[in-house]
Amino acid sequence: MTSGVSISVAGVGKTFADGTQALRPVSIDVAAGEQLAILGPSGCGKTTLLRIIAGLEHPDRGGAVLFDGRDVTRLPIEKRNVGMVFQSYALFPNMSVIDNVAYGLRVRGMARQARHAEARRVLDMMRLSELSQRRIDQLSGGQRQRVALARALAMKPGVLLLDEPLTALDAALRDELRAEIDALLRSLEITTIYVTHDQAEAMVLGDRVIVMEKGGVAQAGSPRDIYFKPANTFVAGFIGSMNRIDGPITGGMLACPAGHLPVRAADAASASVRFRPESAKLVPAGQGGLTLEIERVHFLGATQRVYLRHAESGLALIVDGNSRLDLVPGTKVGLAVDPSNFIML
Amino acid sequence: MTSATRFSVILILPLTIVVVAFFLLPMAELFARSFVSRNGGITYAEILATPRYLSSLGATLIVAALTTVITLALSTLVGLLLARSRFPGRSLLLAVLTFPLAFPGVVVGFLVILLAGRQGLIGEVTRLATGEKLVFAYSMTGLLVGYLYFSIPRVLLTIVAAAEKLDPALEEAARSLGAGPWRVLSDIILPALRPAMLASGALAFATAMGAFGTAFTLATNIDVLPMVIYTEFTLNANIAMAAALSIVLGLITWLALAIARQASGASVAAAG
Ligand SMILES: Nc1ncnc2c1ncn2[C@@H]1O[C@H](COP(=O)(O)OP(=O)(O)OP(=O)(O)O)[C@@H](O)[C@H]1O
Ligand SMILES: [Mg+2]
């Protein structure tokens, strides 16, 4: 298929007629063929940004959208050759599956036989061939989702834009389709922007992830960077689970009511250190820097999540660890954290 | 008889009585009386042989069909605009548009005379502008204007309601696939509105076929079928012919409604 176009979003902001500032001016570059995930809480402007890139919404004055260096800011969506997948799928109820998939080619004026042949090829690729004559209301949610993707791909778009395409599906199907979409997109090398509020989706599908907060970009980076090196407290709190301990640092030691932890940081009267649940280790009480009580244990199969609590100060921490370890709530344990695993913000 | 079936029989009994007494019996009587004409012939054959009846039937069909087509075209256009725009006073406008629904046909006829009658508004304006008075209240056009006046609000409101239920993403999806505004209209929006258009259009047709008050008030030179039935019945005391014409009128109207129900039912099912 076609290789994708590069996208450049330059100083794009959006204030709606009612005064809502949905987007503070943002600038984003997406390389040709890159898979970009946009992640953020509800209302942070993800859909608005995607719709501006698609051409369904105009940016405020001064903002520009470029495809392969060409300014498309004033070009309506029907002239941009973007494929779109909507959360509601937006399949045409008055057409069969194959006519849905062939619709874009029909608009382009391709003859019926040729466009159906092309649509059948895409349906084959998505393993939907048996459904080609079905009506839309005869499809399951997962099938609708795949038809919506097939319809967008049949146009061989340079850009594929997806707005929470899996949100309406149940968890198991979501995992399955996530893997399927990932494999498909990588084989097609289309430039893809994937909007989601699901971290796992963003991490799996994004070569790069942009985390948005309140109409702005909080951080842009690889999934690893976003996870291990969050740029600010918002990203640290939003992605994954995060522990936080507050206290003064003196001589490379952080003091807190539950004990002391060695840190690589300068002295400070008050500081916050953060670490992921999986970067701490449980040790026998008395060993390690901190001593806490096991409050609850959630067995998750491959791992287990241990909720620790320091009764006197109320300090609560979580630790993910080996699920074969048999832990009894109420017992005291020690906690050790390698200083290299601390995230200082 | 189990108590459950006895119970349902008790429930069904009153309905049966009402249906038989007020619906089936008069219908049967009308039907029975509609065959043998006053001169001992067959009424339906006489209808086919009498130019006055045939032209009345033709005129009625034409007025009803024109009313339906014009109403649907105008209402769809305006309905789509109204459904998509938000402006101050919008709900007031929608409420005002339902006003004609409150008028009986006689009042509508009266309004048409005020508008386009011999002393009408349009007549005055055209007399001042061109020296010629334009008067069309008593013609086919006047009747058409009257029918439009009470069919447009009904159809318009149905279409606004249907258009507001459309998922805006459908249109956006079509545009993302390269469709311009006209293609979106013909491929996506009109098919989605089809059930509403068929149902409300059929109702407009049926109403226009049977409308009496407006035609009566306008006292026109056009004989629409309901007027002919009235004349046969009251002035000529030709009950057989009145009955036969009523059956013809009823059958045509019923057929229009049935076709619309069939078509809109099928497409509603297809639309999920
Ligand atoms: N047409 C509009 N008019 C006014 N405000 C709008 C409009 N569309 C969106 N907004 C507002 O802009 C902000 C961003 O909305 P947007 O839909 O982009 O969020 P989102 O990140 O996609 O959220 P979600 O995850 O819930 O879909 C929200 O505060 C929203 O209420
Ligand atoms: Mg959204």
Side-chain angles (χ1 to χ4, degrees):
Chain A
M1 282 215 181
T2 41
S3 57
V5 305
S6 68
I7 303 170
S8 212
V9 171
V12 162
K14 179 72 188 179
T15 309
F16 284 105
D18 65 356
T20 314
Q21 193 183 24
L23 216 53
R24 289 181 271 132
V26 297
S27 297
I28 296 167
D29 286 306
V30 193
E34 185 178 358
Q35 276 179 235
L36 178 76
I38 298 181
L39 177 66
S42 185
C44 69
K46 307 180 295 289
T47 297
T48 306
L49 177 58
L50 196 75
R51 289 172 62 84
I52 290 174
I53 295 171
L56 287 169
E57 212 86 68
H58 283 304
D60 293 344
R61 191 181 297 277
V65 178
L66 290 84
F67 286 0
D68 273 346
R70 197 167 63 99
D71 190 336
V72 296
T73 317
R74 295 285 138 196
L75 215 57
I77 180 170
E78 56 265 34
K79 304 241 167 73
R80 288 195 189 187
N81 193 25
V82 294
M84 268 204 103
V85 178
F86 296 81
Q87 186 177 341
S88 64
Y89 314 133
L91 295 172
F92 308 134
N94 54 318
M95 301 178 199
S96 65
V97 166
I98 193 160
D99 284 333
N100 262 276
V101 175
Y103 181 73
L105 303 171
R106 184 175 133 207
V107 171
R108 280 187 190 166
M110 193 185 275
R112 187 183 165 84
Q113 280 217 318
R115 65 174 191 254
H116 273 200
E118 182 61 27
R120 229 170 274 120
R121 202 182 58 75
V122 180
L123 286 170
D124 275 346
M125 180 175 77
M126 309 267 322
R127 294 183 288 112
L128 288 167
S129 325
E130 328 81 75
L131 303 178
S132 66
Q133 298 307 323
R134 289 267 187 100
R135 288 202 319 259
I136 299 308
D137 60 354
Q138 297 170 322
L139 301 179
S140 72
Q143 289 167 339
R144 283 175 207 214
Q145 205 288 324
R146 301 222 301 276
V147 173
L149 187 57
R151 183 178 66 179
L153 290 175
M155 293 289 287
K156 301 191 176 161
V159 183
L160 184 64
L161 305 172
L162 305 102
D163 193 357
E164 315 223 12
L166 302 182
T167 304
L169 305 173
D170 64 59
L173 194 56
R174 214 155 53 214
D175 286 354
E176 184 190 322
L177 277 174
R178 190 176 66 200
E180 195 174 304
I181 291 176
D182 183 52
L184 185 73
L185 293 183
R186 287 190 194 285
S187 73
L188 296 178
E189 298 178 339
I190 300 177
T191 312
T192 305
I193 301 184
Y194 191 104
V195 162
T196 178
H197 62 249
D198 182 310
Q199 303 172 23
E201 248 167 70
M203 303 265 183
V204 170
L205 291 169
D207 298 326
R208 201 151 55 98
V209 177
I210 285 184
V211 183
M212 288 185 65
E213 179 201 12
K214 293 190 189 134
V217 173
Q219 187 174 1
S222 70
R224 271 169 202 285
D225 283 348
I226 299 274
Y227 189 79
F228 291 118
K229 294 182 202 135
N232 50 48
T233 55
F234 170 76
V235 178
F238 185 68
I239 310 283
S241 304
M242 186 69 90
N243 291 303
R244 173 179 161 184
I245 304 177
D246 299 326
I249 299 176
T250 33
M253 285 298 251
L254 173 84
C256 79
H260 296 267
L261 280 174
V263 293
R264 290 180 196 148
D267 289 6
S270 80
S272 297
V273 300
R274 291 176 166 79
F275 59 95
R276 297 286 181 193
E278 68 277 11
S279 37
K281 230 169 56 207
L282 294 180
V283 293
Q287 299 177 27
L290 304 181
T291 306
L292 299 99
E293 190 174 297
I294 296 174
E295 196 180 23
R296 270 173 295 138
V297 180
H298 285 173
F299 179 76
L300 299 168
T303 60
Q304 62 188 356
R305 174 156 283 198
V306 185
Y307 292 82
L308 303 172
R309 201 173 166 80
H310 186 253
E312 292 82 57
S313 66
L315 175 68
L317 300 173
I318 48 182
V319 175
D320 289 342
N322 188 342
S323 57
R324 292 191 184 275
L325 217 58
D326 204 1
L327 298 171
V328 182
T331 51
K332 288 212 185 312
V333 288
L335 189 72
V337 188
D338 188 296
S340 65
N341 286 334
F342 282 127
I343 295 164
M344 316 287 293
L345 291 170
Chain B
M1 209 177 348
T2 69
S3 70
T5 55
R6 199 175 317 132
F7 183 65
S8 50
V9 166
I10 290 170
L11 282 184
I12 281 173
L13 206 61
L15 178 68
T16 314
I17 293 172
V18 169
V19 167
V20 169
F22 295 101
F23 189 70
L24 288 182
L25 282 180
M27 285 265 278
E29 179 75 5
L30 187 74
F31 194 63
R33 287 200 174 206
S34 74
F35 284 99
V36 182
S37 82
R38 213 155 39 168
N39 341 319
I42 297 168
T43 46
Y44 294 100
E46 279 179 24
I47 292 177
L48 289 178
T50 314
R52 189 165 72 85
Y53 296 143
L54 283 183
S55 69
S56 154
L57 181 61
T60 312
L61 280 172
I62 289 173
V63 175
L66 277 178
T67 304
T68 311
V69 170
I70 297 174
T71 301
L72 277 178
L74 285 176
S75 305
T76 306
L77 198 76
V78 177
L80 280 173
L81 287 175
L82 276 176
R84 281 139 183 271
S85 46
R86 292 282 172 275
F87 50 88
R90 177 177 177 273
S91 46
L92 183 72
L93 178 66
L94 280 175
V96 168
L97 280 171
T98 62
F99 207 60
L101 294 175
F103 289 135
V106 178
V107 179
V108 172
F110 184 46
L111 289 174
V112 174
I113 292 176
L114 287 180
L115 184 73
R118 278 177 209 99
Q119 264 80 48
L121 226 66
I122 292 180
E124 287 306 310
V125 171
T126 47
R127 190 176 57 80
L128 289 175
T130 66
E132 291 263 335
K133 237 187 194 183
L134 181 64
V135 174
F136 58 80
Y138 319 101
S139 67
M140 182 93 122
T141 315
L143 201 59
L144 193 61
V145 168
Y147 288 179
L148 288 177
Y149 189 73
F150 62 63
S151 66
I152 285 177
R154 208 183 300 265
V155 174
L156 181 63
L157 290 178
T158 313
I159 287 182
V160 169
E164 278 177 344
K165 270 197 257 138
L166 275 180
D167 180 3
L170 282 180
E171 178 178 343
E172 294 175 350
R175 291 181 59 200
S176 78
L177 295 166
W182 291 108
R183 280 222 78 137
V184 173
L185 184 71
S186 69
D187 293 348
I188 311 301
I189 296 178
L190 288 183
L193 294 182
R194 211 177 88 105
M197 289 173 71
L198 276 170
S200 62
L203 217 58
F205 180 81
T207 315
M209 280 297 291
F212 176 75
T214 314
F216 190 74
T217 314
L218 293 178
T220 56
N221 43 21
I222 2 142
D223 281 331
V224 287
L225 206 49
M227 283 290 284
V228 174
I229 295 172
Y230 173 81
T231 316
E232 291 298 332
F233 187 66
T234 54
L235 302 182
N236 303 344
N238 189 347
I239 294 179
M241 188 48 77
L245 289 171
S246 300
I247 298 272
V248 170
L249 178 65
L251 275 180
I252 293 173
T253 314
W254 175 82
L255 201 69
L257 290 174
I259 289 173
R261 195 164 34 234
Q262 191 74 28
S264 66
S267 63
V268 166

